Amino acid sequence: MRWAGVRSLALLGIVMAQLRTLASDGAGSAIELRPGTNRFGRTDDNDFQILDPAVSAHHCVIEYNDGVAVVRDLGSTNGTFVNGMRIQEAVLQHGQVLRIGTVELLYEESAPGQRQAHPGLGTARSTQPIRIAPPLQPATATISSHQTDHVRSCIRHIGTPAKWVCVKCHKPFCGNCVRTTRIGMHEFRSCPDCNVSCIPEHEFRRQAEMAQTDFFALLPGAFSFPFAKGGVAILVAGTIFLGVFEVGRMVLKHFGITFVHLWLAYWLSVIMIVGFVFAYMQNVVLASAQGEDRMPDLPELSSFWGDIFVPFFRLVLIWVACLAPGFVVQFAISPLASVPVYLLGLACVPMAVLTVSLADSIRGLNPLIIFSGIAKVPVPYLVTCLVFGAALGIRIMSELLLQYLPIPVLPVVVGTFVGLYGLSVGARLLGLIYYLNKDKLAWF
């Protein structure tokens, strides 16, 4: 094979490795892995900074030694994938695709002289991190209705239907004009002019039309969003998972009065429920903020700390930060004076969920960002808050009414399903608020 010689060179430690961007707007088409540790994440203290809300602050690391690259996930929220499969640790092989957030990187190996490293990306450590941008969203305010109405023929072959559109330059191409890279069973297509990812023409049109649509025009679709494209199965699976822990929590709470040692199991069940729910909401917010039109998968449960406890801690901190001022006013001044402060804090909770989800960090819990965000989109945000409030009210009412039926677990199951559906709709609206107002909010 062509790469058999390259593999044998690994024994001599002279194999070179690079990651080539398949769907990125980064500076250059390839980055060279450095010997030793290569850290990837969203913050600037990584070796390779990926500017993508779906990427964790410290997402993954690639250890490259003696011609062998081992990628290891660092407990990221959205996971690290190799050829579409989520991994905790894996050895990268030539031709495999590494996905971090929404950025896809093709792993390539070669002997010295077989390729030229990208200018400025040597093997020596630099003082500044190398930044990789996520795929540009084609549905931005710069796309006019004239463009979307006339994306019909290839820009190089007039009269030939366009099947692909570049996400950067928005040029339409036929299947013969785009660059196609086959990796295993998958094909990746890129623009022949700017070497950035191309998406199907119908998907480009959908996102472009969606970006030009008013929030209230998308509002009805948010209520059907949890049921679209496999969403029912996700809701049912989530209901079963949460229902089991909810029933367990109720049983442990009942017997915990007698058996004190069961309170530890009770609080563990609470952490599981709250952590799973917030991780689920984060997934929906991120998918909606990126213009996706289908429900994301349920949160991974491979790590209790990263997948459950960290989301639990973030949600608890959000509630504490939003309600703490009211608590202080209640005891420092008077209970009556604390009522408007509590209401203001409650009104800030959904926006805090949005900022923390997009930042993937409690650093998103910044009062200036939260209040300015509310001020910039007051009406859509008010509607979203009302949806969250209605979902909570309907869940409580359904559980109260079903308690009179002789089926013990029915109130829990129905209440959990209704609550999960309501959270899905609310999280969808939060993501759409950001998607439709990126320039106005100017957070990232």
Side-chain angles (χ1 to χ4, degrees):
M1 293 179 63
R2 174 185 175 186
W3 291 98
V6 175
R7 287 295 184 189
S8 64
L9 289 174
L11 299 175
L12 302 177
I14 56 176
V15 170
M16 301 173 68
Q18 71 174 12
L19 292 170
R20 180 159 59 87
T21 55
L22 292 177
S24 174
D25 189 32
S29 59
I31 57 175
E32 185 172 313
L33 292 179
R34 303 150 174 172
T37 302
N38 299 264
R39 295 179 296 271
F40 294 77
R42 198 185 61 258
T43 56
D44 58 8
D45 59 343
N46 293 279
D47 299 304
F48 301 95
Q49 182 183 11
I50 303 181
L51 305 175
D52 185 349
V55 174
S56 297
H58 301 93
H59 198 98
C60 67
V61 62
I62 297 179
E63 298 285 349
Y64 184 64
N65 296 293
D66 299 328
V68 179
V70 179
V71 57
R72 176 165 50 88
D73 187 78
L74 297 177
S76 62
T77 300
N78 296 309
T80 302
F81 295 80
V82 175
N83 278 6
M85 296 184 63
R86 184 163 184 166
I87 57 94
Q88 290 301 312
E89 185 173 281
V91 177
L92 287 174
Q93 306 292 336
H94 171 75
Q96 290 184 328
V97 174
L98 173 67
R99 176 157 63 87
I100 306 172
T102 60
V103 176
E104 292 179 327
L105 303 163
L106 175 64
Y107 178 72
E108 296 177 324
E109 297 174 341
S110 67
Q114 288 187 316
R115 60 174 170 81
Q116 182 178 0
H118 187 273
L121 300 183
T123 58
R125 296 281 181 180
S126 62
T127 57
Q128 297 294 328
I130 298 171
R131 291 176 173 83
I132 306 171
L136 292 180
Q137 295 293 338
T140 63
T142 59
I143 304 176
S144 65
S145 59
H146 176 79
Q147 286 176 300
T148 59
D149 290 340
H150 292 80
V151 177
R152 285 289 184 268
S153 62
C154 175
I155 195 172
R156 295 184 175 183
H157 301 93
I158 304 301
T160 302
K163 295 183 177 180
W164 304 93
V165 180
C166 175
V167 301
K168 180 181 180 181
C169 65
H170 306 157
K171 294 178 181 178
F173 298 99
C174 62
N176 294 326
C177 291
V178 294
R179 295 175 180 172
T180 303
T181 304
R182 178 179 290 274
I183 307 297
M185 300 296 294
H186 301 280
E187 290 185 343
F188 301 91
R189 292 172 175 83
S190 57
C191 175
D193 293 338
C194 55
N195 201 34
V196 177
S197 174
C198 290
I199 61 175
E201 190 266 351
H202 63 83
E203 176 64 14
F204 176 87
R205 289 174 60 82
R206 183 194 70 80
Q207 293 191 15
E209 292 169 358
M210 180 178 172
Q212 298 169 32
T213 305
D214 181 73
F215 173 84
F216 292 97
L218 297 177
L219 181 60
F223 290 91
S224 61
F225 171 74
F227 300 124
K229 300 183 179 181
V232 175
I234 294 174
L235 281 178
V236 171
T239 300
I240 294 173
F241 177 85
L242 290 175
V244 169
F245 279 94
E246 191 66 34
V247 172
R249 182 191 65 82
M250 295 171 61
V251 172
L252 290 169
K253 182 178 181 180
H254 175 74
F255 288 101
I257 299 175
T258 306
F259 304 99
V260 179
H261 60 277
L262 291 180
W263 279 103
L264 176 61
Y266 170 81
W267 284 110
L268 283 175
S269 66
V270 171
I271 293 174
M272 287 293 297
I273 294 170
V274 176
F276 180 86
V277 167
F278 188 66
Y280 173 84
M281 290 182 64
Q282 282 185 303
N283 287 354
V284 177
V285 168
L286 290 173
S288 302
Q290 295 168 8
E292 298 181 12
D293 62 344
R294 59 174 298 167
M295 283 277 286
D297 294 332
L298 291 175
E300 294 287 340
L301 299 175
S302 56
S303 168
F304 176 80
W305 177 264
D307 299 327
I308 296 297
F309 186 79
V310 170
F312 165 81
F313 175 76
R314 289 176 180 175
L315 185 59
V316 170
L317 195 60
I318 286 173
W319 279 97
V320 170
C322 291
L323 298 183
F327 183 81
V328 172
V329 172
Q330 178 180 352
F331 288 92
I333 302 177
S334 70
L336 184 60
S338 67
V339 173
V341 182
Y342 274 126
L343 293 176
L344 179 60
L346 287 173
C348 292
V349 170
M351 184 60 73
V353 169
L354 175 60
T355 57
V356 170
S357 297
L358 292 176
D360 192 26
S361 169
I362 58 175
R363 288 182 298 180
L365 201 59
N366 186 324
L368 295 178
I369 296 177
I370 293 173
F371 284 114
S372 66
I374 295 174
K376 291 175 180 177
V377 288
V379 178
Y381 183 69
L382 175 60
V383 173
T384 303
C385 291
L386 293 176
V387 169
F388 274 114
L392 178 61
I394 293 174
R395 173 177 180 172
I396 294 174
M397 289 298 298
S398 64
E399 290 185 348
L400 291 176
L401 293 175
L402 291 173
Q403 285 179 354
Y404 296 99
L405 296 179
I407 306 177
V409 298
L410 185 61
V412 175
V413 174
V414 175
T416 300
F417 182 85
V418 171
L420 203 60
Y421 167 78
L423 290 177
S424 301
V425 176
R428 172 67 172 175
L429 293 177
L430 286 176
L432 288 178
I433 286 177
Y434 177 76
Y435 182 74
L436 298 174
N437 300 277
K438 291 179 182 178
D439 296 334
K440 184 184 295 185
L441 295 172
W443 288 341
F444 303 101

